[in-house]
Amino acid sequence: MRDHGGNLAWAIARYGGQPDSWIDLSTGINTVPYPVGQITAGAWHRLPETASLKQLERAAQHAYGTTGEVIPVAGAQAAIQMIPHVQGVGTASVLSPTYNEHAAALRAGGWQVEEVGLFQALEGSDLAVVVNPNNPDGRVYAPHTLMALAQTVGLLVVDESFADADRDASLVGQGDALVLPDNVVVLRSFGKFYGLAGVRLGFVLCRPELAQKFREMTGPWPVSGMAIEIAQRALHDDTWAQATRARLCGDAQRLDALAVAAGWTVVGGTSLFRTYATNDALLAQKMLAKRHIWTRVFPYSPSWIRMGLPGTAADWERLKIAMET
């Protein structure tokens, strides 16, 4: 079983308590979610209409600032599972360390996968994967750098699951200055920035030929009626998105200050999560878990600990007290 954040049930089994007594900071999901509001009865009991899916696609185009093809999928993870089947198998390179499902899905699909630590090592691959901004260290590669890489590989997959809070890092939304090449696929996550991971919604952005392949794999009802209705509302709410970006930026700085005061070193991250170097990440996680605050550590680093951002004033105060003691 591959490790992920969000495994709160395991933490409860080990350290006790109930779900509502814990602060779960083990994921990069916005802890102040978009206010969903009322859902119409039709979203629950009718199959999603083609017209509704088209409206969802237009809403995503609006939010991401693009006129290109946008394919709804059941979360960015669903797209990751499809990537190995977009073209014939070959050699794939994944810029690492990063989200571990990319390499795993490619291997399961028959690809020969190399996880590389240098950006230049991606060149020449039949398929290359860059998570941008990266999870967990937050490194970012500029659009022009990724465009240059695309000229050296067969297919470039850019996972922008955490790009909503840093729009300048995205390959889309750059206006006439940048058009996606035929061999580039961009993945976006709806649930992280909008704090609605349970909706299970993401998008694939690419040129028409690749878009048709993804549409064939998703089938006629790729996402639920509830997801369509909620996301249309959220993706058009520019006021909420702008305010959320500003809040997240301030909160990320606030969390960094707490970590530095505790003697940790900032590794990096995004406005949705922060990663720190500690003397002993497992010990730091354990000490916070005893206070029912759950965080993320990584099997490849004994020092790195990743934390999402608290959502309420009470949660911030609990975290502050826990990190001071």
Side-chain angles (χ1 to χ4, degrees), residues 136-277:
D137 59 11
R139 61 187 166 184
V140 174
Y141 293 93
H144 71 270
T145 302
L146 294 167
M147 292 288 278
L149 174 64
Q151 298 177 26
T152 72
V153 301
L155 181 69
L156 174 61
V157 178
V158 183
D159 184 344
E160 295 185 352
S161 289
F162 290 99
D164 292 75
D166 184 9
R167 302 181 76 181
D168 291 341
S170 176
L171 273 178
V172 296
Q174 302 292 328
D176 296 335
L178 188 153
V179 176
L180 288 182
D182 291 340
N183 69 327
V184 173
V185 173
V186 174
L187 310 183
R188 297 297 290 256
S189 167
F190 172 80
K192 293 180 176 62
F193 178 70
Y194 291 93
L196 300 171
V199 169
R200 304 310 307 138
L201 177 65
F203 299 95
V204 178
L205 297 90
C206 58
R207 300 287 286 172
E209 182 178 347
L210 281 172
Q212 182 58 33
K213 293 182 179 181
F214 280 103
R215 292 188 194 282
E216 290 171 357
M217 284 189 279
T218 61
W221 303 290
V223 297
S224 70
M226 290 73 71
I228 293 171
E229 187 166 313
I230 292 168
Q232 281 192 62
R233 198 176 301 165
L235 291 166
H236 278 298
D237 196 337
D238 298 336
T239 300
W240 184 91
Q242 184 176 358
T244 297
R245 290 188 185 97
R247 177 186 59 78
L248 290 171
C249 182
D251 284 353
Q253 294 173 4
R254 181 180 180 183
L255 187 58
D256 283 353
L258 288 179
V260 171
W264 299 356
T265 302
V266 179
V267 173
T270 72
S271 293
L272 286 166
F273 66 83
R274 310 300 293 164
T275 299
Y276 306 106

